[in-house]
Amino acid sequence: MSLYRHHVFPWVLELVMNQRVFRKLRHEVLAPATGRVLEIGFGTGINLPHYPQGTRRIVGVDSNPGMTRLARRRADASHIEVEHHQLSAEALPFDTGSFDTVVSTFTLCSIPDLQQALTEVRRVLKPGGEFLYLEHGLSPDEAVARWQRRINPAWKVVGDGCHLDRDPTAELQRAGFAIERVRNFYLPHGTKFAGYMYLGAARRGRLRA
């Protein structure tokens, strides 16, 4: 399994997630990014060309060592300075309130302890900081949702822990985020069970004393 995860899956991800439809969505979700940016699930660095002009530094974290070679190649070709860490979002080694923006694209689906990761994200965001997310997830159509739950066990194996049946907006609310905006839609092509999208932003309020 580690052979697939470290050597095959990064190339599968690169091929699938670099399609035109995803490039347009990445550009849209990243447009509000500002200040010091943390990207969880940095992957192969596929978001780098889509950050707004003026972005100068990104701290990227990813738990899969197989992503590193592709990520470094993109970072070397980018005008953005990238600080890369191979680690899990469930334990972020950064100071409280040290980021203006946190970004997640197609990552919340595969984090084993998602609530712990979101607790860490909330901690490292500055008061009022934004969490920008582009994710696939649970469909409100019960017929589609049933298929998502049926396929999910096999999908997690092929997709390196990816879940089809998570609701990222609900998970963010559960973790104490206020949803500022969210747009839900099916991708125009492909299967509905893997193509129900969440594109949004959540705000982290001030921590209570």
Side-chain angles (χ1 to χ4, degrees):
M1 187 61 189
S2 62
L3 179 65
Y4 171 78
R5 181 172 188 261
H6 297 163
H7 298 284
V8 178
F9 182 69
W11 291 100
V12 173
L13 193 69
E14 176 75 9
L15 179 65
V16 173
M17 303 311 296
N18 203 25
Q19 297 178 64
R20 182 179 180 183
V21 62
F22 294 124
R23 293 198 296 269
K24 292 176 66 175
L25 294 173
R26 291 176 197 279
H27 188 79
E28 180 181 346
V29 74
L30 294 173
T34 186
R36 190 170 186 235
V37 177
L38 170 67
E39 183 177 328
I40 62 172
F42 188 71
T44 64
I46 202 167
N47 281 333
L48 283 175
H50 305 285
Y51 276 96
Q53 287 188 351
T55 305
R56 291 289 175 262
R57 184 178 181 84
I58 295 170
V59 178
V61 302
D62 200 288
S63 63
N64 186 340
M67 303 288 185
T68 303
R69 185 171 65 174
L70 291 169
R72 284 178 178 164
R73 185 183 304 172
R74 272 211 176 88
D76 289 345
S78 175
H79 70 279
I80 303 173
E81 183 180 352
V82 177
E83 177 186 326
H84 189 270
H85 299 266
Q86 185 188 314
L87 52 86
S88 168
E90 288 116 324
L92 297 172
F94 309 118
D95 291 339
T96 296
S98 56
F99 292 94
D100 301 283
T101 307
V102 177
V103 167
S104 170
T105 60
F106 303 104
T107 295
L108 301 185
C109 58
S110 58
I111 297 175
D113 190 342
L114 181 54
Q115 281 299 305
Q116 174 60 29
L118 292 178
T119 296
E120 280 288 88
V121 166
R122 191 176 187 277
R123 179 184 66 80
V124 301
L125 262 176
K126 292 179 179 179
E130 270 197 322
F131 182 89
L132 306 176
Y133 63 105
L134 171 61
E135 304 287 343
H136 72 97
L138 185 65
S139 169
D141 183 334
E142 187 53 41
V144 177
R146 282 198 299 271
W147 275 106
Q148 288 177 314
R149 296 185 180 104
R150 288 171 185 162
I151 297 169
N152 201 53
W155 189 268
K156 286 191 293 183
V157 175
V158 175
D160 192 27
C162 175
H163 293 70
L164 289 168
D165 58 352
R166 284 183 177 174
D167 180 336
T169 297
E171 294 286 354
L172 281 161
Q173 291 173 318
R174 181 182 166 200
F177 285 85
I179 304 302
E180 288 211 311
R181 58 190 179 274
V182 63
R183 185 162 68 89
N184 296 107
F185 54 95
Y186 285 107
L187 290 174
H189 305 289
T191 56
K192 285 188 173 183
F193 70 80
Y196 188 72
M197 306 300 297
Y198 295 71
L199 192 158
R203 186 75 68 175
R204 173 216 186 273
R206 293 184 179 274
L207 291 172
R208 295 179 180 177

